Amino acid sequence: MKNGKTPTATTTMEKIVSLAKRRGFIFPSSEIYGGLNSCWDYGPLGVELKNNVKQAWWQRMIRQREDMVGQDASILMHPRVWEASGHLAGFTDPLVDCKECKQRFRADHLTTNVCPECGGELTEARNFNLMFKTFMGPVEDQAAVVYLRPETAQGIFVNFANVLTTTRKKLPFGVGQIGKSFRNEITPGNFTFRTREFEQMEIEYFVKPGDDEECYRHWVEVRYNWYQELGINPDRLRLRPHNPEELAHYAKACIDIEYYFPMGWSELEGIANRTDFDLKRHTEYSGNKLDYFDQETNEHYIPYVIEPSAGADRATLAFLVDAYHEEPDKDETRVVLRFHPEIAPIKVAVLPLSRKEPLQSMAKEISGELRRYWNTEYDDAKSIGRRYRRQDEVGTPFCVTVDFQSPEDRTVTVRERDTMAQTRIAVDELVAYLREKLG
Ligand SMILES: [Zn+2]
């Protein structure tokens, strides 16, 4: 599953940022006020794209597996959770300031002991906790401190006994959830790749100790394949095992699934063997036993945990980058997003060749019907060639054109995005035809 070759970049981050803004995928947050550093808003197409990514995860990882269930924990949790998890004491980055230009850096990212910007003297490194702190209720004192969760995982660990009792699951089984997490990163950047507010798609998979290593390999394969099944170019994916010195204090093994972004190989997802660390710690800190009774062996034990932890924003960005293609088209360049149909924000566009009747009302009727099943766009502005290009640029797999023949024999043409081939279809067969192609 590993590959040695470095792929060639087909696009730049500037082109992706520009397309994302121009077509309504992603906007800078609070833009009319000048934006807010590393915060981004998903626009009308972006929210569809990201929802499709999350749905594709939920569908394959939770719904289609008998051994998985879902949950949705709150962002604010009891402060003791973060003592037990180790985040309060250990979730820090070493921070240094330049005494001259006042810029801040992560000490572990520097290769010199002077400021890389101006050569000035640096302060001693101090540990900076990455958790966002806030206050619950009207009094801003120590007793009211709560944190925005830095990972969704802990919401699953604290509900382990609840899920076990209510679902009557037997080991091995897993719990998945999708939700926002917050980390006060010193150096966010690369568009939506590293942001302080982000969405995770996490699984905690509970397994009998001793079965953990095989289970870990299973999940690495499942997750590596998920990206490819949804159309990610396998040449731009690789697995990078962590060195022993890179491993988090709780982990026995960890591997990153990396994607070749315009800035180079970067982490999409981490799969870790967290052992029994978290359940043990929550047992210790809460006084509640978080173990499992194995009816086959008649013994109690604390399960091991395999954690595939993916970023919804990172995956969305990877799908966007990977889909981006430029092709020569006469004197122009055709920009086309070759999204997998499941990921594409708009599935089908309905385009009347003319605004004249009866073409327009027939096109409206067809788009109204298709809208019941798929996200459908109706577009009657400008030339048909221009409209096809607009749909290519946002990755719409199919365009349905209502032309002058359509009212006569109740047929339309269906144009396929990638081949640009056009097929004449009876209106009555359109839904069945598209269902076969779109699922
Ligand atoms: Zn400086």
mmCIF file of all heavy atoms in Angstrom, residues 86-119:
data_model
loop_
_atom_site.group_PDB
_atom_site.id
_atom_site.type_symbol
_atom_site.label_atom_id
_atom_site.label_comp_id
_atom_site.label_asym_id
_atom_site.label_seq_id
_atom_site.Cartn_x
_atom_site.Cartn_y
_atom_site.Cartn_z
ATOM 1 N N GLY A 86 -5.422 13.605 29.978
ATOM 2 C CA GLY A 86 -4.044 14.092 29.892
ATOM 3 C C GLY A 86 -3.908 15.393 29.115
ATOM 4 O O GLY A 86 -2.825 15.956 29.009
ATOM 5 N N HIS A 87 -5.042 15.905 28.580
ATOM 6 C CA HIS A 87 -4.960 17.132 27.776
ATOM 7 C C HIS A 87 -4.619 18.367 28.603
ATOM 8 O O HIS A 87 -3.956 19.274 28.124
ATOM 9 C CB HIS A 87 -6.278 17.374 27.040
ATOM 10 C CG HIS A 87 -6.458 16.486 25.851
ATOM 11 N ND1 HIS A 87 -6.978 15.223 25.938
ATOM 12 C CD2 HIS A 87 -6.156 16.671 24.536
ATOM 13 C CE1 HIS A 87 -7.015 14.669 24.734
ATOM 14 N NE2 HIS A 87 -6.518 15.531 23.865
ATOM 15 N N LEU A 88 -5.100 18.401 29.843
ATOM 16 C CA LEU A 88 -4.863 19.591 30.658
ATOM 17 C C LEU A 88 -3.372 19.756 30.963
ATOM 18 O O LEU A 88 -2.831 20.855 30.903
ATOM 19 C CB LEU A 88 -5.670 19.477 31.969
ATOM 20 C CG LEU A 88 -6.085 20.791 32.605
ATOM 21 C CD1 LEU A 88 -6.770 21.720 31.620
ATOM 22 C CD2 LEU A 88 -6.998 20.514 33.794
ATOM 23 N N ALA A 89 -2.710 18.647 31.245
ATOM 24 C CA ALA A 89 -1.288 18.716 31.593
ATOM 25 C C ALA A 89 -0.386 18.656 30.368
ATOM 26 O O ALA A 89 0.636 19.328 30.305
ATOM 27 C CB ALA A 89 -0.944 17.571 32.543
ATOM 28 N N GLY A 90 -0.802 17.876 29.377
ATOM 29 C CA GLY A 90 0.169 17.552 28.337
ATOM 30 C C GLY A 90 -0.126 18.012 26.929
ATOM 31 O O GLY A 90 0.694 17.827 26.037
ATOM 32 N N PHE A 91 -1.290 18.655 26.698
ATOM 33 C CA PHE A 91 -1.650 19.002 25.320
ATOM 34 C C PHE A 91 -1.101 20.386 24.981
ATOM 35 O O PHE A 91 -1.816 21.374 24.889
ATOM 36 C CB PHE A 91 -3.158 18.964 25.154
ATOM 37 C CG PHE A 91 -3.615 18.971 23.724
ATOM 38 C CD1 PHE A 91 -3.134 18.050 22.812
ATOM 39 C CD2 PHE A 91 -4.547 19.892 23.287
ATOM 40 C CE1 PHE A 91 -3.556 18.048 21.496
ATOM 41 C CE2 PHE A 91 -4.987 19.901 21.972
ATOM 42 C CZ PHE A 91 -4.486 18.978 21.082
ATOM 43 N N THR A 92 0.225 20.443 24.868
ATOM 44 C CA THR A 92 0.878 21.746 24.733
ATOM 45 C C THR A 92 1.861 21.746 23.572
ATOM 46 O O THR A 92 2.362 20.703 23.169
ATOM 47 C CB THR A 92 1.677 22.092 26.006
ATOM 48 O OG1 THR A 92 2.600 21.021 26.263
ATOM 49 C CG2 THR A 92 0.770 22.266 27.207
ATOM 50 N N ASP A 93 2.122 22.940 23.065
ATOM 51 C CA ASP A 93 3.205 23.152 22.109
ATOM 52 C C ASP A 93 4.198 24.115 22.752
ATOM 53 O O ASP A 93 3.791 25.050 23.444
ATOM 54 C CB ASP A 93 2.667 23.783 20.819
ATOM 55 C CG ASP A 93 2.066 22.746 19.879
ATOM 56 O OD1 ASP A 93 2.390 21.554 20.053
ATOM 57 O OD2 ASP A 93 1.300 23.143 18.992
ATOM 58 N N PRO A 94 5.515 23.908 22.523
ATOM 59 C CA PRO A 94 6.495 24.854 23.049
ATOM 60 C C PRO A 94 6.522 26.116 22.179
ATOM 61 O O PRO A 94 6.697 26.044 20.964
ATOM 62 C CB PRO A 94 7.821 24.081 22.955
ATOM 63 C CG PRO A 94 7.599 23.080 21.874
ATOM 64 C CD PRO A 94 6.126 22.796 21.794
ATOM 65 N N LEU A 95 6.322 27.255 22.829
ATOM 66 C CA LEU A 95 6.170 28.520 22.109
ATOM 67 C C LEU A 95 7.344 29.442 22.428
ATOM 68 O O LEU A 95 7.737 29.565 23.595
ATOM 69 C CB LEU A 95 4.861 29.160 22.583
ATOM 70 C CG LEU A 95 4.459 30.498 22.024
ATOM 71 C CD1 LEU A 95 4.054 30.353 20.569
ATOM 72 C CD2 LEU A 95 3.293 31.054 22.835
ATOM 73 N N VAL A 96 7.920 30.085 21.415
ATOM 74 C CA VAL A 96 8.950 31.116 21.643
ATOM 75 C C VAL A 96 8.536 32.404 20.947
ATOM 76 O O VAL A 96 7.846 32.376 19.921
ATOM 77 C CB VAL A 96 10.351 30.677 21.141
ATOM 78 C CG1 VAL A 96 10.908 29.523 21.964
ATOM 79 C CG2 VAL A 96 10.333 30.320 19.661
ATOM 80 N N ASP A 97 8.942 33.548 21.522
ATOM 81 C CA ASP A 97 8.678 34.856 20.919
ATOM 82 C C ASP A 97 9.994 35.473 20.483
ATOM 83 O O ASP A 97 11.018 35.289 21.134
ATOM 84 C CB ASP A 97 8.039 35.800 21.952
ATOM 85 C CG ASP A 97 6.671 35.323 22.373
ATOM 86 O OD1 ASP A 97 5.759 35.412 21.550
ATOM 87 O OD2 ASP A 97 6.527 34.843 23.527
ATOM 88 N N CYS A 98 9.942 36.251 19.391
ATOM 89 C CA CYS A 98 11.117 37.023 18.999
ATOM 90 C C CYS A 98 11.097 38.332 19.775
ATOM 91 O O CYS A 98 10.090 39.038 19.788
ATOM 92 C CB CYS A 98 11.093 37.304 17.501
ATOM 93 S SG CYS A 98 12.385 38.446 16.995
ATOM 94 N N LYS A 99 12.213 38.649 20.432
ATOM 95 C CA LYS A 99 12.263 39.878 21.240
ATOM 96 C C LYS A 99 12.293 41.126 20.363
ATOM 97 O O LYS A 99 11.938 42.207 20.809
ATOM 98 C CB LYS A 99 13.501 39.848 22.157
ATOM 99 C CG LYS A 99 13.379 38.819 23.279
ATOM 100 C CD LYS A 99 14.600 38.823 24.183
ATOM 101 C CE LYS A 99 14.459 37.757 25.272
ATOM 102 N NZ LYS A 99 15.715 37.615 26.046
ATOM 103 N N GLU A 100 12.720 40.973 19.101
ATOM 104 C CA GLU A 100 12.790 42.119 18.184
ATOM 105 C C GLU A 100 11.453 42.354 17.473
ATOM 106 O O GLU A 100 10.788 43.345 17.692
ATOM 107 C CB GLU A 100 13.875 41.892 17.118
ATOM 108 C CG GLU A 100 15.273 41.663 17.674
ATOM 109 C CD GLU A 100 15.811 42.858 18.458
ATOM 110 O OE1 GLU A 100 15.536 43.998 18.047
ATOM 111 O OE2 GLU A 100 16.483 42.622 19.498
ATOM 112 N N CYS A 101 11.061 41.398 16.635
ATOM 113 C CA CYS A 101 9.874 41.629 15.788
ATOM 114 C C CYS A 101 8.583 41.086 16.399
ATOM 115 O O CYS A 101 7.516 41.235 15.818
ATOM 116 C CB CYS A 101 10.091 41.072 14.378
ATOM 117 S SG CYS A 101 10.051 39.266 14.282
ATOM 118 N N LYS A 102 8.668 40.472 17.582
ATOM 119 C CA LYS A 102 7.500 40.005 18.352
ATOM 120 C C LYS A 102 6.737 38.845 17.700
ATOM 121 O O LYS A 102 5.642 38.503 18.142
ATOM 122 C CB LYS A 102 6.504 41.165 18.621
ATOM 123 C CG LYS A 102 7.128 42.423 19.214
ATOM 124 C CD LYS A 102 7.661 42.177 20.602
ATOM 125 C CE LYS A 102 8.335 43.438 21.158
ATOM 126 N NZ LYS A 102 9.294 43.125 22.233
ATOM 127 N N GLN A 103 7.281 38.252 16.645
ATOM 128 C CA GLN A 103 6.589 37.097 16.034
ATOM 129 C C GLN A 103 6.717 35.875 16.926
ATOM 130 O O GLN A 103 7.666 35.745 17.688
ATOM 131 C CB GLN A 103 7.188 36.797 14.664
ATOM 132 C CG GLN A 103 6.752 37.798 13.624
ATOM 133 C CD GLN A 103 6.711 37.155 12.250
ATOM 134 O OE1 GLN A 103 5.958 36.220 12.021
ATOM 135 N NE2 GLN A 103 7.528 37.657 11.344
ATOM 136 N N ARG A 104 5.726 34.983 16.794
ATOM 137 C CA ARG A 104 5.722 33.766 17.601
ATOM 138 C C ARG A 104 5.978 32.535 16.736
ATOM 139 O O ARG A 104 5.506 32.458 15.608
ATOM 140 C CB ARG A 104 4.360 33.598 18.281
ATOM 141 C CG ARG A 104 4.161 34.653 19.300
ATOM 142 C CD ARG A 104 2.975 34.398 20.150
ATOM 143 N NE ARG A 104 3.161 35.150 21.380
ATOM 144 C CZ ARG A 104 2.204 35.391 22.246
ATOM 145 N NH1 ARG A 104 1.003 34.899 22.034
ATOM 146 N NH2 ARG A 104 2.456 36.094 23.320
ATOM 147 N N PHE A 105 6.683 31.594 17.318
ATOM 148 C CA PHE A 105 6.999 30.360 16.586
ATOM 149 C C PHE A 105 6.855 29.169 17.502
ATOM 150 O O PHE A 105 6.975 29.287 18.725
ATOM 151 C CB PHE A 105 8.442 30.406 16.062
ATOM 152 C CG PHE A 105 8.756 31.619 15.253
ATOM 153 C CD1 PHE A 105 9.349 32.734 15.850
ATOM 154 C CD2 PHE A 105 8.448 31.666 13.899
ATOM 155 C CE1 PHE A 105 9.628 33.873 15.110
ATOM 156 C CE2 PHE A 105 8.729 32.798 13.157
ATOM 157 C CZ PHE A 105 9.325 33.900 13.757
ATOM 158 N N ARG A 106 6.640 28.019 16.886
ATOM 159 C CA ARG A 106 6.720 26.764 17.636
ATOM 160 C C ARG A 106 8.179 26.357 17.707
ATOM 161 O O ARG A 106 8.827 26.166 16.679
ATOM 162 C CB ARG A 106 5.917 25.670 16.925
ATOM 163 C CG ARG A 106 4.511 25.565 17.436
ATOM 164 C CD ARG A 106 3.742 24.540 16.693
ATOM 165 N NE ARG A 106 4.230 23.190 16.967
ATOM 166 C CZ ARG A 106 3.579 22.086 16.586
ATOM 167 N NH1 ARG A 106 2.451 22.202 15.936
ATOM 168 N NH2 ARG A 106 4.063 20.892 16.859
ATOM 169 N N ALA A 107 8.706 26.232 18.928
ATOM 170 C CA ALA A 107 10.132 25.946 19.112
ATOM 171 C C ALA A 107 10.532 24.662 18.384
ATOM 172 O O ALA A 107 11.625 24.578 17.817
ATOM 173 C CB ALA A 107 10.453 25.840 20.596
ATOM 174 N N ASP A 108 9.623 23.671 18.373
ATOM 175 C CA ASP A 108 9.980 22.396 17.731
ATOM 176 C C ASP A 108 9.946 22.471 16.210
ATOM 177 O O ASP A 108 10.300 21.514 15.529
ATOM 178 C CB ASP A 108 9.058 21.270 18.249
ATOM 179 C CG ASP A 108 7.580 21.599 18.073
ATOM 180 O OD1 ASP A 108 7.221 22.797 18.032
ATOM 181 O OD2 ASP A 108 6.774 20.656 17.980
ATOM 182 N N HIS A 109 9.513 23.621 15.649
ATOM 183 C CA HIS A 109 9.547 23.804 14.200
ATOM 184 C C HIS A 109 10.772 24.588 13.737
ATOM 185 O O HIS A 109 11.001 24.738 12.547
ATOM 186 C CB HIS A 109 8.281 24.528 13.717
ATOM 187 C CG HIS A 109 7.073 23.627 13.660
ATOM 188 N ND1 HIS A 109 5.840 24.070 13.266
ATOM 189 C CD2 HIS A 109 6.930 22.310 13.958
ATOM 190 C CE1 HIS A 109 4.971 23.056 13.322
ATOM 191 N NE2 HIS A 109 5.619 21.985 13.745
ATOM 192 N N LEU A 110 11.542 25.120 14.710
ATOM 193 C CA LEU A 110 12.696 25.954 14.357
ATOM 194 C C LEU A 110 13.957 25.103 14.256
ATOM 195 O O LEU A 110 14.149 24.162 15.010
ATOM 196 C CB LEU A 110 12.913 27.050 15.408
ATOM 197 C CG LEU A 110 11.812 28.104 15.543
ATOM 198 C CD1 LEU A 110 12.172 29.096 16.637
ATOM 199 C CD2 LEU A 110 11.582 28.830 14.224
ATOM 200 N N THR A 111 14.807 25.492 13.304
ATOM 201 C CA THR A 111 16.080 24.775 13.177
ATOM 202 C C THR A 111 17.241 25.618 13.719
ATOM 203 O O THR A 111 18.353 25.140 13.860
ATOM 204 C CB THR A 111 16.359 24.410 11.700
ATOM 205 O OG1 THR A 111 16.136 25.576 10.907
ATOM 206 C CG2 THR A 111 15.436 23.288 11.234
ATOM 207 N N THR A 112 16.976 26.898 14.011
ATOM 208 C CA THR A 112 18.026 27.770 14.566
ATOM 209 C C THR A 112 17.556 28.278 15.926
ATOM 210 O O THR A 112 16.386 28.133 16.276
ATOM 211 C CB THR A 112 18.260 29.000 13.665
ATOM 212 O OG1 THR A 112 17.025 29.737 13.604
ATOM 213 C CG2 THR A 112 18.697 28.598 12.275
ATOM 214 N N ASN A 113 18.461 28.904 16.704
ATOM 215 C CA ASN A 113 18.027 29.482 17.970
ATOM 216 C C ASN A 113 17.892 31.003 17.899
ATOM 217 O O ASN A 113 17.905 31.682 18.909
ATOM 218 C CB ASN A 113 18.929 29.031 19.140
ATOM 219 C CG ASN A 113 20.400 29.256 18.816
ATOM 220 O OD1 ASN A 113 20.724 29.930 17.836
ATOM 221 N ND2 ASN A 113 21.272 28.711 19.648
ATOM 222 N N VAL A 114 17.780 31.523 16.650
ATOM 223 C CA VAL A 114 17.430 32.938 16.462
ATOM 224 C C VAL A 114 16.171 33.016 15.609
ATOM 225 O O VAL A 114 15.752 32.021 15.016
ATOM 226 C CB VAL A 114 18.585 33.736 15.780
ATOM 227 C CG1 VAL A 114 19.807 33.806 16.685
ATOM 228 C CG2 VAL A 114 18.931 33.125 14.428
ATOM 229 N N CYS A 115 15.582 34.218 15.581
ATOM 230 C CA CYS A 115 14.326 34.405 14.827
ATOM 231 C C CYS A 115 14.551 34.153 13.334
ATOM 232 O O CYS A 115 15.446 34.755 12.736
ATOM 233 C CB CYS A 115 13.817 35.830 15.048
ATOM 234 S SG CYS A 115 12.413 36.257 14.009
ATOM 235 N N PRO A 116 13.768 33.269 12.712
ATOM 236 C CA PRO A 116 13.958 33.001 11.292
ATOM 237 C C PRO A 116 13.534 34.179 10.396
ATOM 238 O O PRO A 116 13.929 34.246 9.235
ATOM 239 C CB PRO A 116 13.060 31.778 11.031
ATOM 240 C CG PRO A 116 12.078 31.744 12.143
ATOM 241 C CD PRO A 116 12.692 32.457 13.307
ATOM 242 N N GLU A 117 12.765 35.115 10.951
ATOM 243 C CA GLU A 117 12.316 36.263 10.163
ATOM 244 C C GLU A 117 13.339 37.390 10.160
ATOM 245 O O GLU A 117 13.624 37.974 9.133
ATOM 246 C CB GLU A 117 10.976 36.804 10.710
ATOM 247 C CG GLU A 117 9.809 35.845 10.557
ATOM 248 C CD GLU A 117 9.451 35.550 9.099
ATOM 249 O OE1 GLU A 117 9.513 36.476 8.272
ATOM 250 O OE2 GLU A 117 9.114 34.378 8.803
ATOM 251 N N CYS A 118 13.877 37.737 11.371
ATOM 252 C CA CYS A 118 14.737 38.916 11.460
ATOM 253 C C CYS A 118 16.086 38.625 12.118
ATOM 254 O O CYS A 118 16.919 39.513 12.224
ATOM 255 C CB CYS A 118 14.020 40.042 12.213
ATOM 256 S SG CYS A 118 13.908 39.766 13.991
ATOM 257 N N GLY A 119 16.301 37.403 12.565
ATOM 258 C CA GLY A 119 17.584 37.087 13.206
ATOM 259 C C GLY A 119 17.666 37.537 14.653
ATOM 260 O O GLY A 119 18.718 37.417 15.291
#
